[in-house]
């Protein structure tokens, strides 16, 4: 069976520039999150969630606040309309890029009815128009409110994020929520019979026995000063991929993260490096991560 035909995300020249700046913001955010933790825990960050959240916040902001949001995203002095249009283009078009891949972005503004916050009609309309976002009013003191929020997340992520929040502060005036879910199969699948129990060495030198997936493939590989990269496509193969960075002997994950910049990212993450016949071994893994990114 042939894989579904994919389509390109149509962006203006200005919006293509925003993509580059969003990637730069992503690297900055990821480095800041890693530097803010003092253990070697696995870190999962969704920079686009932050872009959409700050975009929603930006729509309701003015003056210095709007300037700072625009600056941290790398969008300079461009107005909220430009950021709104960019978010709209990405939210509408990325799920359609490859029909064989599930991608869902959900945004929501939740108002605490005990804090008497009144949202301007323009803001409510913009959230709906540009972010496909919902607006709901809840009593944050009620236990049902937490269930409502988590049910919203569960429904919009095909059950992948059933619990978005564990607690709700009665003092909060408003919540901005974003959930992004992505589900896809590898373009070239790993055969289950080739999965074996093998040894995996962690960053601190300790080892663990893990289920290791295995296959030979012609794949995109690259080599930087501190790392090797491997490109593994998803779905129909030309729109989505996972880029894996493997630290070279004697290098740590931190070395790789700290050395990453936009030039390297463009070259190795989606510059489609040379293809070679490679022997791929990848541990089956599952991860979850919680962080307060305000300081980052």
């Amino acid at each position: 069976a042939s894989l579904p035909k994919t389509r390109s995300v149509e962006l203006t020249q200005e919006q293509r520039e925003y993509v580059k700046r969003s990637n730069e913001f992503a690297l900055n955010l990821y480095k800041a999150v890693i530097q803010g933790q003092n253990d070697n825990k696995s870190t999962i960050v969704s920079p686009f969630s932050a872009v959409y959240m700050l975009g929603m916040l930006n729509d309701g902001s003015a003056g210095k606040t709007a300037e700072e949001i625009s600056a941290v995203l790398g969008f300079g002095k461009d107005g909220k309309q430009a950021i709104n249009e960019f978010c709209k283009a990405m939210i509408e078009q990325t799920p359609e890029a490859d029909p064989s891949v599930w991608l869902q972005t959900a945004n929501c503004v939740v108002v605490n009815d005990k804090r008497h916050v009144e949202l301007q009609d323009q803001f409510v309309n913009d959230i709906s128009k540009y972010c496909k976002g919902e607006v709901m009013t809840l009593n944050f003191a009620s236990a049902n409110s937490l269930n409502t929020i988590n049910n919203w997340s569960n429904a919009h992520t095909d059950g992948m994020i059933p619990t978005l929040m564990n607690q709700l502060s009665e003092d909060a005036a408003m919540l901005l929520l974003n959930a992004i879910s992505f589900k896809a199969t590898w373009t070239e699948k790993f055969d289950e019979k080739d999965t074996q129990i093998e040894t995996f060495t962690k960053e601190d030198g300790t080892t663990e026995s893990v289920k290791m997936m295995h296959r030979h493939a012609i794949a995109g590989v690259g080599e930087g000063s501190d790392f090797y990269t491997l490109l593994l496509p998803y779905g129909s193969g030309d729109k989505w991929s996972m880029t894996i960075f493997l630290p070279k002997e004697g290098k740590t994950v931190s070395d790789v993260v700290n050395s990453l910049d936009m030039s390297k990212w463009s070259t190795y993450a989606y510059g489609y490096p040379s293809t070679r016949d490679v022997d791929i071994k990848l541990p089956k893994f599952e991860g979850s991560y919680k962080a307060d990114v305000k300081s980052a």
Side-chain angles (χ1 to χ4, degrees), residues 159-233:
M160 283 191 276
I161 310 176
T163 310
L164 191 64
M165 300 179 71
N166 291 319
Q167 60 190 70
L168 202 51
S169 167
E170 290 180 36
D171 299 327
M174 187 169 82
L175 294 175
L176 296 179
L177 308 175
N178 168 275
I180 294 182
S181 48
F182 177 88
K183 189 157 51 175
T185 55
W186 302 115
T187 305
E188 290 183 45
K189 296 175 180 61
F190 289 84
D191 193 326
E192 206 163 339
K193 72 176 189 313
D194 294 328
T195 297
Q196 311 262 349
I197 299 292
E198 294 195 35
T199 301
F200 181 81
T201 305
K202 296 194 281 190
E203 170 121 46
D204 60 8
T206 59
T207 58
E208 198 172 311
S209 292
V210 298
K211 284 185 177 176
M212 194 78 81
M213 303 186 292
H214 186 204
R215 68 179 167 90
H216 283 276
I218 302 294
V221 291
E223 182 178 353
S225 53
D226 298 329
F227 53 78
Y228 300 101
T229 60
L230 171 68
L231 208 69
L232 293 181

Side-chain angles (χ1 to χ4, degrees), residues 35-170:
Q35 283 158 6
Q37 59 185 34
N38 49 16
D39 51 32
N40 280 331
K41 275 195 183 145
S42 296
T43 313
I44 303 167
V45 177
S46 169
F48 244 118
S49 285
V51 171
Y52 292 142
M53 301 274 288
L54 289 167
M56 287 195 290
L57 204 56
N58 186 63
D59 188 82
S61 67
K64 184 79 174 148
T65 307
E67 276 175 35
E68 288 188 355
I69 291 172
S70 214
V72 80
L73 290 176
F75 295 164
K77 297 202 181 322
D78 295 347
K80 63 180 68 174
Q81 187 63 27
I83 295 174
N84 281 345
E85 294 286 357
F86 172 62
C87 288
K88 182 175 189 276
M90 295 298 285
I91 288 170
E92 285 182 353
Q93 294 185 57
T94 48
E96 309 294 323
D98 184 345
S100 65
V101 168
W102 157 283
L103 174 75
Q104 184 77 39
T105 302
N107 294 304
C108 189
V109 177
V110 190
V111 178
N112 185 353
D113 67 0
K114 297 296 180 215
R115 291 294 299 274
H116 309 296
V117 175
E118 274 192 53
L119 301 181
Q120 291 181 13
D121 291 345
Q122 180 71 50
F123 179 73
V124 175
N125 291 340
D126 285 354
I127 294 300
S128 171
K129 180 179 177 182
Y130 298 109
C131 301
K132 286 194 167 178
E134 300 170 49
V135 177
M136 58 172 96
T137 302
L138 299 173
N139 174 5
F140 285 18
S142 162
N144 284 340
S145 296
L146 199 56
N147 291 338
T148 301
I149 289 166
N150 287 329
N151 288 341
W152 170 85
S153 175
N154 190 53
H156 284 85
T157 60
D158 200 30
M160 283 191 276
I161 310 176
T163 310
L164 191 64
M165 300 179 71
N166 291 319
Q167 60 190 70
L168 202 51
S169 167
E170 290 180 36

Side-chain angles (χ1 to χ4, degrees), residues 22-36:
S22 294
N23 284 338
E24 202 155 352
F25 166 73
L27 290 177
N28 290 339
L29 176 67
Y30 187 57
K31 286 178 182 180
V33 169
I34 285 214
Q35 283 158 6

